[in-house]
């Protein structure tokens, strides 16, 4: 895209005053990086359905991989508000790039940090923080998506190693990842986490092609055919579904912030376009129908900004519940999808082209609304939380 990236984040309720100077500095740094490194190339990579691998080093340098992981393990040691802000700025550029950062930080580094041994933490985390090593997270299977507890991927004790069998599907970063955090059942049917490394015999990662969404993010499978996994690669400190769900909570929190970034980019683009594009002798922004769209967009963005700020405060205090995170993830993605669709219309024919980021955001968000718990599942989580009555089964 040759156009200059003129993005400015809307701040209708002066919510910036709720951030510290450090938060604002982090935001400015990531925003500058996105404008310089992501915006100029992202349309081309999306059109070609290619992940821009050269961005990995920069993502590591801006602290996008594991921002909350302590410095002693190579992380940035930042608070959760900073983590949210980083995800928001990156997804403002592209949801696929944010997905890579979310997977690396929340789904690979977090489980190693929270459930791993000291040896595992020192071996993997510093290299994951810089991007020298890239990871992926294998939970979803061909026959088990929203119901991961039904997984059939399994491992057996084979003396001095484990023997892993099964398959995972829809795995972000799998085609190029150096390691995979894989969730599988042991012989007693308990879910455990294993670190599987590229190059282990019987482990393959075929790429998933023909996606219309998240085209600049690489997605693939993980196939395990009698893979010998060393015993020291088992994550020792968690058993059961709470292991992967703990990781998903981290990632969903980041998505709650991130999706709003995509929404703000669509709004910013549509607002600017509405002042420049003239029809019937005046800017289209002067027509009431277009103003209705913009007024509703900024109202929903403002509500979302306040929601994620409050969620960030609760998360910093270790008080954010999984159900609160679900609500915010669901709300932000719905807000973003609605805004992307309305903004697309405001740009008329230009809205469907790669000259503007809106159609790309809209298509990306169709994945974001499905992964990390579908829109329906998050609604059921809220329903369960307020009624105490489970409606999943
Ligand atoms: C681009 C992309 C990247 C992804 N990356 C990863 C990754 O890195 N790692 C990983 O493990 N997974 C990943 N996923 C998988 C993702 O998390 C799953 O797609 C998601 O959990 C939904 O599972 P499913 O696709 O099998 O849909 P299903 O579970 O089959 O759901 C189909 C529909 O049924 C609805 N439904 C299901 N159960 C219920 C119920 N109880 N009540 C009402 N409605 C219900 C759902 O809401 C949905 O609308 C990714 C997916 C995509 C698209």
């Amino acid at each position: 895209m040759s156009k200059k990236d003129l993005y400015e984040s809307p701040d209708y309720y002066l919510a910036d005053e709720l951030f510290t100077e450090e938060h604002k500095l982090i935001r400015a740094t990531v925003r500058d990086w996105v404008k310089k490194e992501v915006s100029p190339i992202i349309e081309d990579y999306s059109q070609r359905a290619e992940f821009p691998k050269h961005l990995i080093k920069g993502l590591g340098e801006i602290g996008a991989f594991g921002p909350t992981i302590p410095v002693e393990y190579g992380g940035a040691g930042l608070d959760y508000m900073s983590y949210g802000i980083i995800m928001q700025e990156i997804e403002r550029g592209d949801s696929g790039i944010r997905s890579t950062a979310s997977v690396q930080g929340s789904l690979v580094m977090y489980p190693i940090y929270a459930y791993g041994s000291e040896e595992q933490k020192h071996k993997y985390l510093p290299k994951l923080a810089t991007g020298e090593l890239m990871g992926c997270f294998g939970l979803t299977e061909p026959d088990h998506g929203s119901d991961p507890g039904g997984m059939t991927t399994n491992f057996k004790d084979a003396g001095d190693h484990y023997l892993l069998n099964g398959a995972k599907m829809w795995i972000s970063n799998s085609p190029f990842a150096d390691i995979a955090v894989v969730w599988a059942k042991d012989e007693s049917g308990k879910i455990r986490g294993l670190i599987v490394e590229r190059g282990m015999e019987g482990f393959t990662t075929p790429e998933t092609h023909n996606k219309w969404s998240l085209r600049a993010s690489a997605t693939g499978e993980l196939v395990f055919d009698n893979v010998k996994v060393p015993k020291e690669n088992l994550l020792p400190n968690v058993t059961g579904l709470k292991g992967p769900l703990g990781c998903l909570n981290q990632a969903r929190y980041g998505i709650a912030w991130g999706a709003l970034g995509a929404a703000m980019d669509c709004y910013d683009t549509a607002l600017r376009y509405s002042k420049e594009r003239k029809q019937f002798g005046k800017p289209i922004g002067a027509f009431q129908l277009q103003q209705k769209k913009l007024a509703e967009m900024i109202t929903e963005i403002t509500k979302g900004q306040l929601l994620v700020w409050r969620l960030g405060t609760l998360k910093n205090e270790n008080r954010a519940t999984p159900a609160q995170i679900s609500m915010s993830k669901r709300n932000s993605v719905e807000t973003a999808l609605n805004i992307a669709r309305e903004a697309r219309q405001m740009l008329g024919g230009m809205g469907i082209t790669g000259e503007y980021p809106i159609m790309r955001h809209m298509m990306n968000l169709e994945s974001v609304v499905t992964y990390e718990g579908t829109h329906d599942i998050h609604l059921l989580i809220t329903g369960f939380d307020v009624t105490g009555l489970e409606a999943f089964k």
Side-chain angles (χ1 to χ4, degrees):
M1 192 170 71
S2 55
K3 278 178 172 257
K4 196 164 163 43
D5 181 352
L6 300 169
Y7 174 73
E8 283 169 43
S9 50
D11 184 19
Y12 201 73
Y13 261 42
L14 312 182
D16 267 11
E17 291 174 11
L18 301 170
F19 294 130
T20 63
E21 287 309 311
E22 191 191 3
H23 293 146
K24 285 187 243 183
L25 188 65
I26 289 167
R27 189 177 61 179
T29 305
V30 181
R31 186 170 302 174
D32 285 351
W33 182 81
V34 168
K35 284 190 177 189
K36 191 161 156 272
E37 304 292 339
V38 180
S39 304
I41 57 112
I42 196 63
E43 275 306 328
D44 283 349
Y45 276 84
S46 292
Q47 296 277 1
R48 292 206 303 272
E50 184 183 334
F51 171 66
K53 270 194 187 161
H54 68 277
L55 294 182
I56 287 175
K57 191 162 178 282
L59 283 164
E61 283 165 4
I62 59 168
F65 296 150
T68 60
I69 298 288
V71 176
E72 63 168 307
Y73 297 116
L78 297 171
D79 70 350
Y80 277 96
M81 206 72 86
S82 307
Y83 172 38
I85 290 168
I86 294 171
M87 294 302 117
Q88 185 158 93
E89 289 300 320
I90 296 176
E91 189 148 6
R92 201 284 298 178
D94 189 76
S95 305
I97 307 304
R98 197 270 307 140
S99 298
T100 292
S102 287
V103 168
Q104 182 87 342
S106 294
L107 302 180
V108 179
M109 294 176 72
Y110 176 80
I112 294 173
Y113 171 67
Y115 315 135
S117 65
E118 271 313 305
E119 294 74 39
Q120 290 168 343
K121 290 186 214 184
H122 285 291
K123 180 175 177 191
Y124 296 108
L125 291 178
K127 288 184 179 167
L128 288 163
T130 58
E132 190 183 332
L133 274 185
M134 290 301 290
C136 66
F137 173 87
L139 179 65
T140 307
E141 298 188 352
D143 293 331
H144 301 95
S146 299
D147 179 20
M151 70 174 67
T152 57
T153 298
N154 64 87
F155 63 98
K156 291 188 173 61
D157 192 327
D160 64 343
H161 61 268
Y162 297 118
L163 216 49
L164 177 66
N165 279 289
K168 301 286 177 180
M169 193 178 178
W170 295 118
I171 308 305
S172 303
N173 300 357
S174 95
F176 61 82
D178 303 290
I179 64 167
V181 170
V182 176
W183 300 94
K185 285 184 177 161
D186 67 13
E187 282 153 287
S188 67
K190 291 197 183 89
I191 295 174
R192 303 296 304 265
L194 295 159
I195 304 169
V196 180
E197 297 188 9
R198 184 173 296 282
M200 288 180 176
E201 210 181 319
F203 174 41
T204 48
T205 59
E207 184 157 1
T208 303
H209 295 288
N210 295 332
K211 290 181 299 165
W212 283 111
S213 173
L214 288 191
R215 288 170 63 81
S217 159
T219 313
E221 297 168 45
L222 303 174
V223 182
F224 315 106
D225 180 10
N226 281 321
V227 181
K228 284 184 186 173
V229 181
K231 287 201 159 165
E232 66 262 24
N233 284 28
L234 182 80
L235 295 176
N237 299 325
V238 77
T239 302
L241 207 50
K242 68 173 186 292
L245 291 185
C247 307
L248 294 178
N249 265 330
Q250 298 292 111
R252 289 168 181 174
Y253 169 79
I255 296 171
W257 283 82
L260 273 188
M264 289 194 267
D265 199 40
C266 293
Y267 167 78
D268 180 70
T269 304
L271 177 62
R272 194 168 296 116
Y273 190 86
S274 77
K275 294 182 197 167
E276 290 166 1
R277 174 72 175 168
K278 289 194 176 118
Q279 287 295 288
F280 299 96
K282 56 182 183 179
I284 59 166
F287 296 114
Q288 286 185 357
L289 282 176
Q290 305 312 315
Q291 289 191 3
K292 176 174 187 289
K293 291 189 206 303
L294 291 166
E296 286 174 351
M297 285 181 204
I298 190 61
T299 305
E300 290 309 312
I301 286 171
T302 303
K303 287 180 341 196
Q305 286 172 330
L306 296 173
L307 199 63
V308 293
W309 180 84
R310 178 64 187 149
L311 187 69
T313 307
L314 291 173
K315 190 95 175 101
N316 273 344
E317 295 167 358
N318 204 16
R319 290 198 295 147
T321 67
Q324 287 168 337
I325 294 171
S326 273
M327 178 187 280
S328 215
K329 187 260 183 186
R330 185 174 186 277
N331 179 69
S332 292
V333 182
E334 183 170 45
T335 297
L337 261 175
N338 290 339
I339 288 176
R341 287 170 185 151
E342 293 290 301
R344 217 270 332 132
Q345 288 190 53
M346 287 188 66
L347 268 69
M350 288 310 289
I352 70 151
T353 71
E355 284 294 301
Y356 293 90
I358 297 175
M359 190 81 180
R360 177 170 46 80
H361 280 311
M362 189 203 296
M363 297 203 301
N364 283 342
L365 289 161
E366 289 294 340
S367 287
V368 183
V369 78
T370 286
Y371 72 21
E372 298 282 348
T374 70
H375 205 55
D376 296 329
I377 293 297
H378 287 300
L379 180 128
L380 293 176
I381 290 171
T382 307
F384 178 35
D385 200 45
V386 296
T387 63
L389 303 168
E390 203 181 313
F392 298 97
K393 295 179 191 158

